[in-house]
Amino acid sequence: VSTDPAALPHFFVIDTLGVSGSSLVGTDARLVVGGEVTAFKGYEQHTLTTQCATSGGILGGHFALSFEGARTNEIPYNAVASDLKLELETIASLGTVKVIRRTVHDSINALQWTIVFIDRLGNVPLLDVHDQLTCSDGSGSPLIFVTETVQGLLPRMDGPYAGEVELNALDYDDGNDIVHTVGGL
C-alpha cells in the first residue's frame, strides 16, 4: 500500500476528514484501497458500472451486454463476477474474459465489474449495454455505463526485427490457409 495518491490514481482515496497532509489522523480517518488489475497490463479492460442516481435508491432489474451483434442473456443487476463471465463468454468473438466485481459506494448502491479480455488482443470496441434496471425511490433512470479502463495492445516481436503486422482475415476469404512470411530473419 502506498500513501502516494498518484501511485494508484483511479483506485486510491485518502479521507482524513478535512485534515491536510500525508498522515492519516483522527478517530474516523479511513484508508480505502481498491484492487487494481496490473497483472493484465496490455490486455484491454472495460469497467461496467451500475448505480442509482440518489443515495436512497435501491437498484433492481437486469441488463444485457452485446458485442458485434451478439448479445448475452439477461443478467441480474447484482450478478456475481463468475455469472457475468459465463454470460460474456457465450459471445464467441470475445473469447476468454476475467471479471472482478466490487461495490463502489454503498450509499449510492453502485456496483462495478472490471472485464479483462484475455483472448481478444488489441483495442477492443466498447461493449453495448441494454438495460432494464430500476431504482426503488423513483428518482429517474438508474445509471449503467461501460468505460475503457485500459486500452489493449497488440503483442510485439522482440529483437532487432521488432515490428508488427496486422493481417485482415477478410482479405484471405478464399478458403486457403493464411500465410505470411516475415522477411529479414
Side-chain angles (χ1 to χ4, degrees), residues 38-176:
T38 57
F40 294 102
K41 186 175 184 176
Y43 288 95
E44 179 83 10
Q45 296 179 33
H46 291 180
T47 299
L48 169 67
T49 303
T50 59
Q51 68 186 50
C52 286
T54 65
S55 61
I58 297 175
L59 197 60
H62 56 269
F63 61 91
L65 299 169
S66 64
F67 184 76
E68 296 180 341
R71 183 175 167 150
T72 66
N73 292 315
E74 298 299 324
I75 302 165
Y77 76 96
N78 61 348
V80 295
S82 59
D83 288 345
L84 182 58
K85 173 185 170 58
L86 288 173
E87 283 299 325
L88 285 169
E89 289 178 352
T90 65
I91 300 175
S93 62
L94 288 179
T96 303
V97 297
K98 178 166 180 60
V99 177
I100 301 162
R101 188 189 98 162
R102 71 183 187 106
T103 301
V104 178
H105 198 290
D106 287 331
S107 68
I108 58 172
N109 199 21
L111 296 171
Q112 254 183 8
W113 295 263
T114 299
I115 303 161
V116 182
F117 297 88
I118 305 299
D119 292 343
R120 181 87 186 213
L121 301 179
N123 190 15
V124 178
L126 286 178
L127 297 166
D128 292 316
V129 176
H130 313 275
D131 77 285
Q132 298 295 317
L133 295 176
T134 59
C135 281
S136 65
D137 63 353
S139 63
S141 298
L143 304 172
I144 181 169
F145 53 92
V146 176
T147 57
E148 182 180 61
T149 312
V150 175
Q151 183 175 354
L153 304 172
L154 291 172
R156 300 180 69 94
M157 292 176 57
D158 290 335
Y161 301 106
E164 62 184 65
V165 174
E166 280 189 49
L167 301 175
N168 184 346
L170 297 176
D171 294 339
Y172 301 92
D173 196 22
D174 58 6
N176 294 322

